[in-house]
Amino acid sequence: MTQSPYDVIGGKDSALIKMWTRGVPVEDNAREQLINTAKLPFIYHHLAVMPDVHMGYGATVGSVVPTKGAVIPAAVGVDIGCGMMAARTSLTASDLPDTLEPIRDAIEKAVPHGRSLERGSRNSRDKGAWGTPPPAIVTAWATLAARFERICAKYPKLAKANHLTHMGTLGTGNHFIELCLDQDQRVWAMLHSGSRGVGHAIGSFFIELAKEDMRKWHINLPDQDLAYFPEGTDHFDDYVEAVGWAQDFAALNRRCMMTNVIDALRSQISKPFDAELEAVNCHHNYVTRENHFGENVLITRKGAVHAGKGVLGIIPGSMGAKSFIVRGLGNPESFHSCSHGAGRVMSRTQAKKLVTLEEHIHDTAGVACRKDADVIDETPKAYKPIDAVMAAQADLVEIVHTLKQVVCVKG
């Protein structure tokens, strides 16, 4: 009899939880969060847990939450539409200069991020927002503006959020831009970001609104952060509209950044080259309607990527490890999903306490990147080993390309 590739927990007064976590550590508090989520009465079939799972706000990062008749804003989170984009160029390793710091400098100047253009000093323009957005960014924003205005007409507080000034910007934390080499020494550009300030505002606003509804209706929850909107209510429809808009903002944000990254690369490499010969742009914090096990349901992926059969996705490692372009195998038990990365094994505070600067410098050898104490919370040791994560989900995806970064820009 063939052994199942996942472990099963829950099932007593809750939905089952299927976990693709063999060979990787899972925190006790993450398990507790999963069990609390599985107790909600509208969970459909089972929860699917990816190997990069770790504790999150309300719902667990690295989980796939299928629901019928309700949506949980915290299960999407506040970085709505966060995801990855990768594009292969016609360049190879031999086309890159011996010193990569000028390329890193050019990318940092082309894409606002969490630091100012002068390294080491905080950006006074709101941590990487545009001062005056360039015409291309204004044009991109115009494609989303009318829908946003309709949302703000009902919820005026959202109008104050950063939107135009954050379009085409990276952000901070685990968001990054990289140049990578694949297994054939071809050059790829890759980046990780989402809906920035406006997505955070939408997520935070509706999470609190759901909590208010729960109090108003006297609904008891295993965790107040799992507050939800029942389908058929005004807030349900408004949230689905707003979160869908934020997902579109996030995808466009990545495309704008990728254009500027490629332009920055062209400014440093005189040889003409093509870009986006192979391109992938995928969310990993989002909600969508899909059909599974014969039913139309809402699928919320929080730190998980769609891995339908033949669908390309991106699974990044840490800033010193490999990343992967993958092709989904369409496994129905995972709701056609896979992990969104390596997943944290240390909190940011733990990493700063436990990892030395010398260790960080050693672990990022060969990568043109920040090597200062302020980035230790993103150091490779703060993340699970990506090879173990990939091994645990061998039945969810197949590897198409293996990438290794040579330049990394962090917010």
Side-chain angles (χ1 to χ4, degrees):
M1 185 176 179
T2 304
Q3 186 183 29
S4 169
Y6 53 79
D7 295 320
V8 181
I9 64 173
K12 185 178 181 180
D13 302 321
S14 74
L16 292 177
I17 303 168
K18 299 183 179 182
M19 303 182 64
W20 279 260
T21 55
R22 290 178 184 167
V24 292
V26 181
E27 315 150 287
D28 289 340
N29 51 13
R31 291 177 185 271
E32 182 180 353
Q33 274 193 329
L34 291 166
I35 290 170
N36 283 339
T37 304
K39 289 177 180 177
L40 295 172
F42 47 81
I43 298 298
Y44 170 73
H45 217 276
H46 65 271
L47 296 185
V49 181
M50 302 298 101
D52 57 343
V53 62
H54 58 279
M55 185 180 179
Y57 174 73
T60 318
V61 179
S63 62
V64 182
V65 183
T67 58
K68 285 195 71 175
V71 66
I72 311 165
V76 178
V78 296
D79 200 355
I80 301 170
C82 188
M84 298 289 303
M85 185 172 183
R88 180 170 69 85
T89 76
S90 59
L91 297 171
T92 63
S94 61
D95 297 318
L96 297 177
D98 293 335
T99 302
L100 295 173
E101 285 295 334
I103 290 178
R104 179 186 163 208
D105 286 337
I107 293 172
E108 289 182 341
K109 291 175 181 177
V111 180
H113 52 290
R115 298 255 167 182
S116 67
L117 302 183
E118 180 183 353
R119 279 197 203 137
S121 61
R122 283 292 177 187
N123 192 327
S124 59
R125 297 191 318 245
D126 183 30
K127 293 186 178 180
W130 294 105
T132 301
I137 296 299
V138 175
T139 299
W141 165 250
T143 66
L144 297 172
R147 287 168 60 199
F148 185 63
E149 288 170 5
R150 287 197 297 272
I151 294 168
C152 293
K154 195 163 187 179
Y155 301 102
K157 184 177 180 181
L158 296 176
K160 299 177 182 179
N162 286 312
H163 36 77
L164 170 59
T165 58
H166 275 187
M167 174 65 74
T169 72
L170 184 64
T172 57
N174 61 356
H175 296 163
F176 64 80
I177 300 168
E178 291 182 345
L179 286 189
C180 306
L181 302 178
D182 69 11
Q183 67 281 352
D184 298 315
Q185 296 296 290
R186 298 176 298 188
V187 176
W188 290 68
M190 185 167 71
L191 55 86
H192 172 212
S193 191
S195 53
R196 300 288 281 110
V198 66
H200 189 282
I202 289 170
S204 300
F205 178 82
F206 279 99
I207 288 170
E208 292 305 313
L209 195 58
K211 290 179 180 179
E212 290 177 15
D213 284 354
M214 296 294 97
R215 289 190 289 268
K216 181 173 65 177
W217 299 329
H218 304 290
I219 294 177
N220 293 320
L221 295 167
D223 181 341
Q224 67 168 351
D225 291 329
L226 292 173
Y228 58 87
F229 297 126
E231 193 161 6
T233 63
D234 288 343
H235 291 161
F236 176 96
D237 294 333
D238 292 343
Y239 175 70
V240 170
E241 179 184 6
V243 79
W245 178 88
Q247 289 166 198
D248 291 343
F249 180 104
L252 183 55
N253 180 40
R254 290 190 290 271
R255 287 196 293 273
C256 290
M257 281 191 287
M258 184 61 74
T259 296
N260 288 341
V261 169
I262 296 301
D263 287 346
L265 192 56
R266 286 197 168 106
S267 75
Q268 300 300 308
I269 296 177
S270 58
K271 177 182 176 178
F273 65 89
D274 294 324
E276 298 194 40
L277 297 178
E278 296 179 68
V280 187
N281 191 352
C282 57
H283 297 314
H284 52 229
N285 288 348
Y286 69 113
V287 63
T288 185
R289 294 185 185 272
E290 296 178 1
N291 187 282
H292 293 277
F293 302 104
E295 298 276 357
N296 293 321
V297 296
L298 284 165
I299 296 291
T300 300
R301 295 185 175 96
K302 183 169 185 174
V305 178
H306 181 223
K309 190 170 182 60
V311 175
L312 292 178
I314 307 168
I315 302 177
S318 67
M319 64 188 292
K322 293 176 288 188
S323 298
F324 301 92
I325 307 297
V326 298
R327 183 180 293 115
L329 297 178
N331 190 320
E333 296 299 315
S334 72
F335 299 98
H336 298 179
S337 306
C338 67
S339 83
H340 82 311
R344 296 194 74 90
V345 74
M346 295 182 193
S347 70
R348 296 185 182 280
T349 301
Q350 286 175 321
K352 289 180 177 179
K353 288 181 179 179
L354 299 177
V355 181
T356 67
L357 182 58
E358 291 72 20
E359 287 175 309
H360 172 72
I361 292 170
H362 175 270
D363 292 344
T364 57
V367 183
C369 65
R370 286 178 55 194
K371 300 179 189 286
D372 58 88
D374 285 345
V375 81
I376 284 181
D377 58 337
E378 281 295 306
T379 197
K381 280 189 172 65
Y383 287 85
K384 299 178 184 182
I386 190 65
D387 286 330
V389 168
M390 296 305 295
Q393 59 184 334
D395 64 322
L396 305 184
V397 294
E398 60 180 341
I399 296 170
V400 179
H401 300 296
T402 301
L403 310 183
K404 181 66 178 74
Q405 72 274 75
V406 291
V407 174
C408 177
V409 172
K410 278 278 188 185

